[in-house]
Amino acid sequence: MPPRYAPLAALLVLAASLTAAAQETGSLEDAELTRVRFLDPDRGWAIGDRGAIWHTSDGGARWSLQRTSTTARLEALSVLDERHLWAAGGDIRPFTHRSQGVLLRSHDGGLHWNSATETPNGDSTGEQPLPWIRELRMFDDRNGLAAGDPSRLLGGGLYATSDGGRTWKPQPGVPARRWAAAEFINPFVGLLTEPNGPPLLWRQRTVEAGRMPREERRIRRIIVAGASGGWAIGERGLVLHTEDAGRSWNAPAALLPGVASEHDFRAIAAHGDSVWIAGSPGGLVFHSPDAGRSWQVQLTENALPLNDLHFLDANRGWAVGALGTILATRDGGATWRKQRGAAPRAAVLLLATDPEHLDFELAARLTGDDRALVAAAVLFDAHTASSAEESDVRDRARRAASVAGVSSMETSHRFPVPRAELMLPEQAITSAWGNSPEAGADSLRAHLVRQLRTWRPDVVIVSGPAAESQERALTHRLLAEAVGIGAEVGLPATCVAGLH
């Protein structure tokens, strides 16, 4: 492992000691939620970090935890009927620091969750473990598809099961890539997308790249809507629409309001012609009642990032996100009501110039001794050899942050920086973020203001490679200005500190 990732490796060793016995309710109250699904107006499930699974049987009036045997991050949820459910995600193996998939299955409505790759007596099936799973859909009790990371032994990145999830086989003809998002129409047709690539139409043994405008923003989620429609969303207000089953992608008929460009979209739902989109920050939901021909802005009164949206019909919907937040609407999103969440804001915001310099030890002390709610944000997109390496670093950093008790961690790709050893001046760095160095600095300052408005922390702490580094000096200067801007609108941030 390169020396630059040693801090992540050291902390990830702690993950080996985490067991189900350590899953006290208090440690899951603020766990970030990633997916929500409802079977009917009453029965629903929400999953997320630290193996959290929440369940309601009364439409969300009350949510209760369902115990699991994992502390991994769960990112995919498939609800087949009132008894059969699957939840999937991934974890980082101690010492090897490679990702591994986690797949849970319940046959009693979530009262008991067990590893799908174990026999009834608890023994392993002996099959090669799955890698990290990003998307999962079960079509019946035995047949399903999963998409995520490629496996060194299995290959692929798209896998099929015919025995309820006990064994999985890679799909032929699918390149061995890391699929960041996927949606499956049936067992033989679906949409796949890489972190830095266009959506691909998958048809059993072939994949076809969709045509789309040149785009540098990253796709975060993709869904199918109707017989041949679909939507893809992503960073900096990215919204793409297809009307030919994914063969071509374009901007919707009407552009979203200008404020959408300040959002990193990661949640989308569709019902009929209605479409809802949300992300970070989570104060606004963008709604189209006519398949993208017009857009409305809906207020949630929740600044925390939203990771998923789910609508049963044109009126009843739910949203989940940071700090265990669950929101609900009964009028198509015109009004949103909070059903649960640990808190409306974080006490401490940790800012880091890159994942390796996020102060995990400090985070562990704050969340352990002081029981503070801590959020973390990585500001700069450091140079990496490939998108796969970048994703590995992001996953390791997020897992390390979770082990340290951090409630939520975000990584921005808005601000690429060159290799630190080049020691470029500030203007050379900020010129890549806008039409001029000044515009680039303004963009970072605005991003910092959004972070403060999103998390509303009492304390902000900055960490970086060295006090004299340009990135860290730039962050300190612009953060001080951002705190001043935040104070003008009543934000509570009161302290900015630098750490080596």
Side-chain angles (χ1 to χ4, degrees), residues 19-20 23 28 50-52 68-74 90-91 102 104:
T19 62
Q23 281 191 315
L28 296 177
R50 306 174 191 162
T68 69
S69 58
T70 183
T71 57
R73 182 177 177 86
L74 301 176
D91 204 348
V102 174
L104 303 178

Side-chain angles (χ1 to χ4, degrees), residues 353 379-380 448 462 471-480:
T353 58
L379 295 176
F380 301 122
L448 292 169
V462 182
E471 295 93 335
R472 188 168 176 184
L474 177 64
T475 301
H476 270 289
R477 178 171 66 82
L478 297 181
L479 180 59

